[in-house]
Amino acid sequence: MGRRKGMHIGKTRVLGLLAVASIVASACGNSTATPTGPAASGATKVPSTSASSATGDTYPRAETLYTTGKQWGAPSTWNPLDPNAAMGVVGLQYETLFLYDPLKDVYTPWLAESLGTWDSAKTTYTVKIRQGIKWTDGQALTADDVAFTIQLAKNPVLGSNLWQYVTDATAPDASTVVVKFNGPAYQEWAQWLYNSPIVPKHIWDAKNNADILKDTNPNGVGTGPYMYKTHADDRMVWVRNDNWWATTALQLTAKPKYIVDIVNGANSVALGELLQGGLDLSNNFLPGVASLVAGGYGVTTYYPKAPYMLAGNTAVLVPNTLKAPLNDAAFRKALATSINTDDIVTKVYGNIVQKADATGLLPNFSKYVDTAQRDALGFKFDTAKAKSQLAAAGYKDVNGDGFVENKDGSPLKLTLEVPDGWSDWMAAETSIATSAGLAGIKIDPQHPTYDTVVADRNGTADAPPKFDLIINNDIQIGNTPWTWYDYVFRQPLQVGAAKNRNFESYSSKDAWDLVQRLDKTPVEDTATMKTLTSQLQKIQLTDMPVIPLWYNGIWSQVNNSVWTNWPSDGGNQVLPATWNGYWQMGAVMMLTQLKAVPPAS
């Protein structure tokens, strides 16, 4: 899921909003402005940024859903095995065995007929495949396709660790898949079941080689509710699969005939498009949404008031624990206590985000929070307490400039890096530096290029990470708190391009052992999961390897002029996002719940 950025908008009337749109800061990624949208009714040509990108096709407005928020560049691959595939490839075109609803913590059999079963030894998993499903080329989906997809993960190009704990996957008959394990990683397997698209063996068997990810797979063969229609530099277009199996099996029908996903351009243009009805759903970060919701523009959000958005991931302050004084847990706790996160929530984000729990766990994992322990060990903003914590740990203002020095009296000045142009994070880093400075911790906000931040963060085999402090939010909402603890405590430490966990370079054998035990706990054994997460929280809250700040929102603003009955806290409680990974977390149900607004008489 990409980052979404912008500036606050102060006007509350349509004309005022459109007038200031030209001075709103542009989003990161593709800098081409989103084109002017079609009117609210009638058959219209899909808008185009340039003649070279025009598809030349027309789509009836009343049958077309216009979205934006996922694509930050021209669609370039429709390979379901590529994490950079175009919007909708996984979820709309290729489907998974199950859907997982993180709001209700429920798995729904999808391509699977029912929930899978484990044998008594918990080393063999059997799942039945739903019958009557056909690929869009007319061939039947069978258990062979599922077993093949699991076997496909052996291809080293795909970078999967599935076969570190899977030992065999077979299809004894057309409807049964049997998977054997050696020391099952239950938490990871549970993720695979709803995150990994099933592909047709009769097509992908021939593609299973070192070049498998080089195949862009346009016009691919899937089982989902939509098929590839066309694309251009500024859009991805899907057309409904009227032979979708779920219509008969589950009485579900995708309501829009076409989905046109516009490549992200400027936030200002996306805002104008949303207000005019040219966009139906924007998953971009658009501050000032409170004015839109309250202003009578037909724009709504998941919640009708603050925080407006569901929580999608946790933004954390990451200290480089390989450097002094950030290698000192007492200093890290004082730093956490010095940060006024409430100011970030209210002044930077205008209350469209929530302050994170001290454990960092997202709200959907609240049942795993040991609240008594958190309240005893957790941190809260308190400048006076931060000062006393620093003094007790040996950090004092030696030269009288208002900032503490290191224990040996040497200057203490930290840098905080966020990518240039990420306007909300740049404002947040300034807020962090200001509040930490009041406690005596000197922080210099810096915003180099994104690539520089990544290089400084990851380091290499020959050079350790260069940063002091960064902000990161890589771990998304999902089915298990294991992903959060794997992110915080992963061992062994990674370096270079492969680094995607434990950016702080913190090492704790006890914590990593607990993370591995959690991974090997069945997801239905919540009692054991709570015991293990409580122990992990004790280590985290004591040593403070990362500092949770706020929950980034699942940005979602909708216009109700063409389509209505959107997901909301008061009705259809599913995820309202087009981002990769979200369709199979229930967002596909949004398309079956939408209602077309009758044309004006």
Side-chain angles (χ1 to χ4, degrees):
M1 177 170 63
R3 291 269 302 106
R4 281 93 192 153
K5 289 151 286 293
M7 298 291 287
H8 286 277
I9 297 184
K11 302 294 183 180
T12 57
R13 303 306 304 159
V14 172
L15 292 177
L17 283 162
L18 296 178
V20 299
S22 62
I23 61 172
V24 179
S26 65
C28 71
N30 191 306
S31 60
T32 304
T34 305
T36 301
S41 62
T44 59
K45 188 170 183 176
V46 179
S48 169
T49 56
S50 67
S52 62
S53 67
T55 64
D57 295 327
T58 59
Y59 306 97
R61 184 64 180 96
E63 298 179 6
T64 306
L65 181 73
Y66 284 88
T67 64
T68 191
K70 188 277 174 190
Q71 291 284 157
W72 290 93
S76 59
T77 181
W78 299 264
N79 187 327
L81 306 178
D82 190 326
N84 298 309
M87 175 280 218
V89 169
V90 178
L92 298 186
Q93 185 178 34
Y94 293 88
E95 298 180 296
T96 54
L97 289 175
F98 295 89
L99 300 185
Y100 174 74
D101 184 343
L103 303 180
K104 301 180 181 68
D105 191 20
V106 170
Y107 284 83
T108 298
W110 204 239
L111 294 183
E113 182 180 78
S114 57
L115 296 177
T117 58
W118 290 93
D119 68 344
S120 59
K122 294 286 186 179
T123 59
T124 301
Y125 178 88
T126 302
V127 62
K128 290 289 186 179
I129 306 306
R130 195 184 297 273
Q131 297 300 284
I133 299 176
K134 290 188 176 182
W135 299 99
T136 50
D137 64 359
Q139 293 205 34
L141 167 79
T142 71
D144 270 339
D145 295 310
V146 178
F148 168 77
T149 301
I150 298 172
Q151 295 279 352
L152 199 58
K154 291 179 180 179
N155 189 323
V157 176
L158 299 178
S160 172
N161 70 338
L162 185 65
W163 283 85
Q164 291 179 13
Y165 52 91
V166 170
T167 61
D168 197 16
T170 58
D173 59 56
S175 64
T176 307
V177 177
V178 177
V179 187
K180 293 188 179 297
F181 294 79
N182 178 14
Y186 296 106
Q187 306 280 319
E188 294 185 62
W189 176 244
Q191 283 192 323
W192 191 93
L193 290 172
Y194 76 88
N195 260 333
S196 298
I198 305 303
V199 299
K201 180 180 179 180
H202 66 277
I203 292 175
W204 285 86
D205 199 8
K207 300 183 180 187
N208 187 16
N209 53 47
D211 293 329
I212 192 168
L213 290 181
K214 295 180 181 179
D215 189 326
T216 58
N217 190 46
N219 214 4
V221 173
T223 58
Y226 286 86
M227 301 180 293
Y228 174 93
K229 171 68 174 174
T230 189
H231 78 280
D233 287 349
D234 64 332
R235 75 202 57 244
M236 177 64 227
V237 184
W238 297 99
V239 61
R240 188 173 59 209
N241 173 15
D242 288 329
N243 294 315
W244 185 36
W245 62 269
T247 302
T248 300
L250 302 175
Q251 291 73 56
L252 295 173
T253 302
K255 300 307 189 294
K257 183 172 182 178
Y258 304 99
I259 297 177
V260 179
D261 188 68
I262 302 296
V263 170
N264 290 300
N267 279 350
S268 57
V269 182
L271 171 62
E273 285 298 299
L274 186 68
L275 293 174
Q276 295 177 83
L279 284 173
D280 301 301
L281 168 64
S282 172
N283 290 136
N284 285 314
F285 171 60
L286 294 178
V289 71
S291 297
L292 302 182
V293 172
Y297 306 122
V299 172
T300 57
T301 50
Y302 188 86
Y303 296 111
K305 56 184 180 180
Y308 301 99
M309 312 293 171
L310 288 163
N313 57 72
T314 305
V316 297
L317 185 66
V318 180
N320 184 348
T321 66
L322 300 177
K323 290 185 174 183
L326 297 169
N327 61 351
D328 182 353
F331 181 86
R332 296 195 298 266
K333 293 197 76 169
L335 174 60
T337 306
S338 76
I339 298 172
N340 188 348
T341 307
D342 286 325
D343 260 10
I344 297 174
V345 169
T346 58
K347 296 178 181 179
V348 174
Y349 282 101
N351 290 310
I352 66 172
V353 301
Q354 297 172 270
K355 182 166 64 174
D357 187 88
T359 65
L361 290 179
L362 286 163
N364 66 305
F365 294 138
S366 60
K367 66 184 177 184
Y368 295 108
V369 175
D370 184 337
T371 56
Q373 179 173 256
R374 176 204 59 197
D375 294 344
L377 298 177
F379 65 94
K380 294 181 180 179
F381 169 62
D382 187 329
T383 301
K385 183 176 180 180
K387 287 181 176 180
S388 66
Q389 288 174 324
L390 288 167
Y395 300 92
K396 299 178 181 179
D397 180 6
V398 176
N399 60 12
D401 67 350
F403 297 104
V404 300
E405 274 70 45
N406 284 303
K407 292 179 181 182
D408 62 2
S410 62
L412 194 165
K413 181 180 178 181
L414 303 173
T415 59
L416 169 55
E417 298 179 31
V418 302
D420 187 36
W422 293 26
S423 55
D424 52 330
W425 283 22
M426 289 166 64
E429 71 171 344
T430 299
S431 178
I432 291 168
T434 299
S435 62
L438 296 175
I441 301 173
K442 191 170 187 178
I443 296 178
D444 177 22
Q446 297 182 355
H447 29 270
T449 66
Y450 173 79
D451 289 343
T452 299
V453 173
V454 171
D456 289 350
R457 179 193 72 190
N458 289 8
T460 66
D462 300 318
K466 293 171 58 177
F467 75 95
D468 293 337
L469 299 165
I470 58 169
I471 298 175
N472 188 261
N473 69 326
D474 278 5
I475 297 303
Q476 307 300 320
I477 193 171
N479 70 309
T480 167
W482 168 80
T483 55
W484 166 254
Y485 293 111
D486 182 56
Y487 167 73
V488 174
F489 296 115
R490 169 69 69 89
Q491 294 292 320
L493 296 179
Q494 305 162 307
V495 295
K499 191 175 182 71
N500 62 3
R501 298 288 190 276
N502 196 349
F503 293 121
E504 72 276 12
S505 300
Y506 171 82
S507 293
S508 167
K509 182 179 183 302
D510 290 342
W512 183 237
D513 286 346
L514 288 167
V515 173
Q516 292 177 296
R517 286 174 58 191
L518 180 59
D519 195 10
K520 296 181 182 300
T521 302
V523 291
E524 62 270 17
D525 186 359
T526 55
T528 300
M529 290 176 66
K530 288 179 180 179
T531 297
L532 294 171
T533 54
S534 174
Q535 295 175 63
L536 285 162
Q537 287 161 35
K538 183 176 182 179
I539 295 173
Q540 179 189 338
L541 294 170
T542 300
D543 278 5
M544 203 63 63
V546 297
I547 301 170
L549 298 173
W550 71 87
Y551 298 132
N552 270 306
I554 299 176
W555 317 123
S556 181
Q557 299 84 206
V558 301
N559 184 298
N560 290 272
S561 60
V562 179
W563 299 98
T564 189
N565 203 39
W566 295 94
S568 73
D569 185 47
N572 304 318
Q573 296 181 339
V574 298
L575 300 187
T578 62
W579 300 325
N580 284 359
Y582 279 67
W583 292 115
Q584 59 267 36
M585 283 195 291
V588 68
M589 300 301 293
M590 168 178 64
L591 302 174
T592 71
Q593 296 166 349
L594 288 176
K595 295 180 180 178
V597 175
S601 57

